[in-house]
Amino acid sequence: MRQIAVLGATGSIGRSTLDVIARHPDRYQAAVLAAHRSVDEMEALCREHTPRYAVMSHPNAAEALGEKLRDIPTQVLSGADSLDELVTDPAVHSVVAGIVGFAGLRSALSAARAGKHILLANKEALVSAGGLFMETVRSGGATLLPVDSEHNAMHQCLPTMSDGRPDMTNVEKIILTASGGPFRGRSRAALDNVTPEEACAHPNWSMGQKISVDSATLANKGLELAEACWLFDRHPDQIEIVVHPQSIVHSMIRYRDGSVLAQLGQPDMRTPIAYCLAWPDRIDAGVAPLDIVAAGKLDFEAPDLAAFPCLALAQSAITRPGGMCAFSAANEVAVAAFLAGDIRFTDIDGVIASVLQSINLVEPDTLDAVQRLDADAREAAINCVTLMATPKTQS
Ligand code: NAD
Ligand code: MG
């Protein structure tokens, strides 16, 4: 029986993971659940899965949860130190890194240091601290398995070593697919007044708000470009980005002999999660079989960098030391401001561009340096958002 720690349990990835785990009570136990502050949602999950531990970020939330869970044996803790201790617990086999944003870095690093199986959904941690994270995975003897559907597809199309590392020997190119998001085909001018609700209505995937907005701006594909470079040891020019609106082909690998291998499947995160949980075995994910005839057409087109400049910004940032750490931090601030109604959708790239221009970029090779660069980029982004923000009384 493998004990699994599900970080970001109340989120989209966390819930999909718990759904797969619950289908296999003979193989997996959700031993640790962690979330930010949604006490009621966490209470329901704890009642359903009775983990050994539940961790809330804030002590007040943990206290409230503890009160509610008096009648079950789950122990409730709070804060990052507790989470660190639990993800390194020898009884825990796999850690699902499903916290959103830079906040997920510390626990993912702890799991890497402790040599766990890391099921990595949190791409921001890898994008901001790629060198440090990959080195920690190596030195800690961890097994790193990508949950992000595109990177999971790549992993599935590659030969792997016993520790999960992909063998890139005969690979010529990685073809990273993008859905194009809800605004595919629109001009830049037609994006000015889109609302957070429209931006979060992804045509194929049901996801958390932040990644949904990232998909709509194509910033997500920029983050995923960097994610693929770290996971598969590639230069950005060895990765081609292709828009595939049906989200059925999740990415492809082109080999030296001209063969192109693709992984296809329903746009349902339970497939990549089940793959990572069971790797190198396969288990039922609860996903409906793909009906390829019903799907009918598979289209591919080039991304529109003029309408969606976030991707072009990422392609340029990735060539500068620390560029993607700053990109990701600025993007997090800008997306939060857009979701709060403070800036327009088309201001998001402006915030990122301004941060990339104004701050002093250096390659962050220690955790301290990563945190400093992230904090500098956030501060610059907040200043930029403040200048852009329309006073709410006038809007
Ligand atoms: P979500 O917003 O639905 O859930 C986020 C989870 O993180 C919640 O459980 C929340 O409580 C927790 N959390 C938020 N801030 C936290 C903090 N400061 N400390 C501790 N916990 C915190 O997000 P999601 O869509 O599940 O995405 C999670 C991660 O997975 C993101 O990095 C995203 O890019 C990645 N990802 C998601 C999908 C998807 O389909 N949802 C696909 C690929 C990758
Ligand atoms: Mg993805």
Side-chain angles (χ1 to χ4, degrees):
M1 176 75 88
R2 286 186 177 176
Q3 298 204 9
I4 317 292
V6 184
L7 315 188
T10 54
S12 159
I13 290 291
R15 287 175 181 283
S16 293
T17 304
L18 290 170
D19 180 279
V20 178
I21 289 177
R23 290 168 193 276
H24 302 278
D26 51 326
R27 293 179 74 127
Y28 307 112
Q29 193 217 341
V32 178
L33 301 187
H36 199 34
R37 52 183 161 209
S38 29
V39 172
D40 292 344
E41 288 173 52
M42 192 63 150
E43 182 196 0
L45 292 177
C46 288
R47 292 197 179 282
E48 195 179 336
H49 300 276
T50 45
R52 286 196 290 126
Y53 296 96
V55 188
M56 304 299 291
S57 297
H58 200 273
N60 293 351
E63 204 183 315
L65 183 65
E67 284 294 318
K68 287 173 183 278
L69 293 181
R70 277 171 180 230
D71 57 321
I72 66 168
T74 299
Q75 213 177 312
V76 181
L77 302 169
S78 74
D81 289 342
S82 304
L83 196 54
D84 268 352
E85 223 169 279
L86 292 176
V87 299
T88 57
D89 180 338
V92 168
H93 176 276
S94 303
V95 176
V96 179
I99 292 174
V100 58
F102 190 75
L105 175 62
R106 182 170 157 184
S107 48
L109 275 175
S110 300
R113 221 173 281 121
K116 301 298 180 189
H117 273 218
I118 303 171
L119 284 57
L120 186 73
N122 176 297
K123 64 192 91 187
E124 295 92 345
L126 186 59
V127 167
S128 297
L132 177 69
F133 186 74
M134 294 307 286
E135 175 50 29
T136 311
V137 165
R138 199 198 55 75
S139 61
T143 298
L144 183 58
L145 298 162
V147 168
D148 206 352
S149 59
E150 297 78 2
H151 307 75
N152 186 269
M154 296 166 198
H155 196 269
Q156 296 204 36
C157 294
L158 287 162
T160 45
M161 312 197 210
S162 59
D163 61 357
R165 267 181 311 144
D167 174 359
M168 304 303 291
T169 316
N170 293 310
V171 173
E172 211 169 62
K173 201 121 196 172
I174 290 180
I175 302 162
L176 169 63
T177 56
S179 68
F183 306 134
R184 186 181 60 88
R186 288 205 199 181
S187 69
R188 172 99 177 143
L191 294 172
D192 249 357
N193 295 315
V194 300
T195 63
E197 204 182 9
E198 290 168 317
C200 288
H202 197 282
N204 308 330
W205 297 95
S206 154
M207 310 182 286
Q209 285 194 313
K210 194 258 175 185
I211 184 175
S212 295
V213 176
D214 288 351
S215 297
T217 60
L218 291 199
N220 185 49
K221 227 30 70 175
L223 297 172
E224 291 187 351
L225 174 66
E227 186 184 8
C229 287
W230 286 116
L231 288 171
F232 302 104
D233 194 21
R234 299 285 96 175
H235 292 291
D237 57 8
Q238 293 171 300
I239 300 173
E240 182 183 345
I241 299 173
V242 173
V243 172
H244 165 50
Q246 290 88 1
S247 297
I248 285 175
V249 174
H250 297 304
S251 277
M252 299 175 253
I253 303 284
R254 191 170 86 219
Y255 286 90
R256 177 178 285 179
D257 61 1
S259 294
V260 177
L261 300 195
Q263 185 260 353
L264 282 70
Q266 298 276 16
D268 186 325
M269 289 308 291
R270 289 176 300 175
T271 294
I273 289 166
Y275 171 85
C276 292
L277 274 173
W279 181 88
D281 201 357
R282 297 266 182 182
I283 53 169
D284 170 32
V287 175
L290 174 66
D291 182 343
I292 198 80
V293 174
K297 270 172 59 154
L298 301 178
D299 296 309
F300 299 94
E301 62 196 43
D304 181 351
L305 299 180
F308 302 99
C310 284
L311 179 53
L313 284 169
Q315 285 170 322
S316 150
I318 202 169
T319 63
R320 301 171 66 193
M324 285 308 288
C325 179
F327 176 98
S328 185
N331 180 55
E332 269 192 51
V333 170
V335 170
F338 167 65
L339 287 170
D342 292 336
I343 61 171
R344 289 173 308 176
F345 182 79
T346 43
D347 290 332
I348 295 174
D349 55 86
V351 174
I352 301 171
S354 149
V355 169
L356 286 169
Q357 256 169 24
S358 65
I359 68 164
N360 191 18
L361 288 176
V362 279
E363 187 62 53
D365 44 15
T366 62
L367 184 54
D368 256 8
V370 173
Q371 283 168 333
R372 251 194 325 270
L373 180 52
D374 174 83
D376 285 354
R378 267 168 215 274
E379 192 186 327
I382 289 166
N383 290 338
C384 188
V385 162
T386 311
L387 289 174
M388 282 176 173
T390 6
K392 287 219 164 108
T393 47
Q394 288 176 17
S395 62

